[in-house]
Amino acid sequence: MTLVLGVDIGGTDIKLGLVEGEGDIRGSGKIPTRPEEGPEAAAARVRLWLGESGDVQGKIAAAGVDCAGLVDGERGFLHVSPNLRGWENVPLRDIFERALGVPAIVENDANAAAYGEWAKGAGRGLKNFVCLTLGTGVGGGIVVNGALYRGSSGFAGEIGHAVICADGPLCACGNRGCLEALIGANAIVERAAGMLARAGESRSAWGASPTVEALSRAAASGDAIAAAAFRETGRWLGIALANVVHILAPEAIAIGGGVAGAGDLILEPARATVRDCRMDEAMASVRIVPAELGNRASFIGVSLLALGRLNGRR
Ligand SMILES: [Zn+2]
């Protein structure tokens, strides 16, 4: 039995999964990232976790490591990550290979999630598939003809930084009107608060700074302003998805991440917008579906990518 360790590094936690060749999970866990201690310390903590995971020690054939940001899988470097301050131009692959003693690969977390969803989740059996991960940031990953598409730079799939609204709100990347600046969690909360202020109302149930989750609960129980905020959010998402459909024509686009918990509050207006924007009826056949693997998508995907590399596939 070949086991691969998936290491999904977030700003707060590292999610770990022991994944078998078929993508089945044989063990999983979570340890703190503590990014301020640096990548070597994080890798050492992953090694400790592995040691505590009983009989699996010594059975790891490879490791896949993913995080948000610009990850150069070819050279094994993390250039920069929004969640990992100070981890700049870090040879992440070497660090984990040294710590774990097995071959490792590194990948962007949204790419890893897209590959995981394609292999084991909402994209199973499809040739062409796109997955968006909606949270504070908006990540994207593209599978073309059954392989992760990285582009010439290795940084393809940054759908969150596609400009959807010229002169729109400022994005964390420095541009204006990126999808992320329009539908990231903070943008949704600000949108709802703005709509509430314009209506001259206040909602004690929302609190001073509601979460997207609280807003979606309010919308689901009939709060018209919260619902309108999600409708507008879904419309922006739909414009981005219509562009994806025009460029890539995938069979399905899966939407995951915490914000996607709002479900049809966002997905229905997104689907309607894609229908409105399509050039031809055939383009409306793309399925826009919820992702299926939750926060396990990245470590499953990056494990399977590592296994593929081990077996000589890309
Ligand atoms: Zn941006």
Side-chain angles (χ1 to χ4, degrees):
M1 178 173 67
T2 305
L3 280 178
V4 177
L5 177 65
V7 181
D8 176 32
I9 307 177
T12 309
D13 296 313
I14 300 175
K15 292 181 198 74
L16 297 153
L18 291 160
V19 178
E20 220 186 313
E22 296 297 308
D24 296 325
I25 300 171
R26 291 286 169 246
S28 63
K30 198 167 78 170
I31 60 174
T33 306
R34 299 188 198 126
E36 68 283 359
E37 293 179 7
E40 286 87 358
R45 249 178 280 115
V46 170
R47 177 73 187 81
L48 272 179
W49 179 84
L50 198 58
E52 289 163 1
S53 301
D55 60 352
V56 297
Q57 193 180 6
K59 292 186 183 171
I60 307 300
V65 181
D66 70 79
C67 62
L70 294 179
V71 180
D72 180 345
E74 203 66 44
R75 292 172 54 234
F77 266 70
L78 167 63
H79 282 281
V80 63
S81 172
N83 304 332
L84 304 167
R85 284 184 63 175
W87 295 28
E88 281 167 26
N89 294 314
V90 169
L92 210 52
R93 182 175 62 203
D94 288 353
I95 290 169
F96 273 86
E97 285 188 344
R98 270 200 304 275
L100 303 176
V102 292
I105 65 152
V106 294
E107 188 55 76
N108 169 272
D109 63 347
N111 281 356
Y115 195 77
E117 287 287 345
W118 172 77
K120 294 294 288 181
R124 275 192 315 278
L126 305 183
K127 261 173 80 175
N128 300 305
F129 172 71
V130 172
C131 180
L132 261 64
T133 308
L134 313 186
T136 310
V138 174
I142 300 167
V143 174
V144 173
N145 289 328
L148 188 62
Y149 180 77
R150 298 183 178 86
S152 301
S153 64
F155 304 144
E158 289 289 347
I159 298 164
H161 297 284
V163 175
I164 301 304
C165 173
D167 305 320
L170 192 64
C171 181
C173 76
N175 288 327
R176 284 194 172 276
C178 295
L179 180 63
E180 178 170 307
L182 291 159
I183 71 161
N186 296 335
I188 297 172
V189 168
E190 278 170 31
R191 177 168 298 127
M195 286 177 162
L196 199 63
R198 280 196 296 281
E201 296 181 39
S202 64
R203 292 276 197 289
S204 58
W206 287 7
S209 54
T211 60
V212 170
E213 207 182 351
L215 282 174
S216 72
R217 274 199 306 273
S221 54
D223 187 309
I225 288 179
F230 282 114
R231 248 191 331 273
E232 192 178 318
T233 303
R235 198 171 61 80
W236 286 119
L237 173 61
I239 290 172
L241 298 186
N243 291 334
V244 168
V245 169
H246 285 132
I247 295 168
L248 294 169
E251 291 149 279
I253 304 174
I255 311 294
V259 167
D264 280 342
L265 288 167
I266 287 182
L267 295 189
E268 269 309 317
R271 291 180 184 117
T273 305
V274 171
R275 282 195 295 274
D276 290 346
C277 293
R278 67 178 165 46
M279 277 196 304
D280 184 90
E281 193 64 43
M283 290 180 134
S285 67
V286 60
R287 290 184 299 113
I288 297 166
V289 298
E292 294 178 3
L293 302 181
N295 61 13
R296 298 169 303 154
S298 287
F299 75 62
I300 292 174
V302 83
S303 299
L304 294 177
L305 286 166
L307 192 66
R309 183 73 60 88
L310 200 66
N311 295 336
R313 296 193 309 271
R314 293 300 299 270

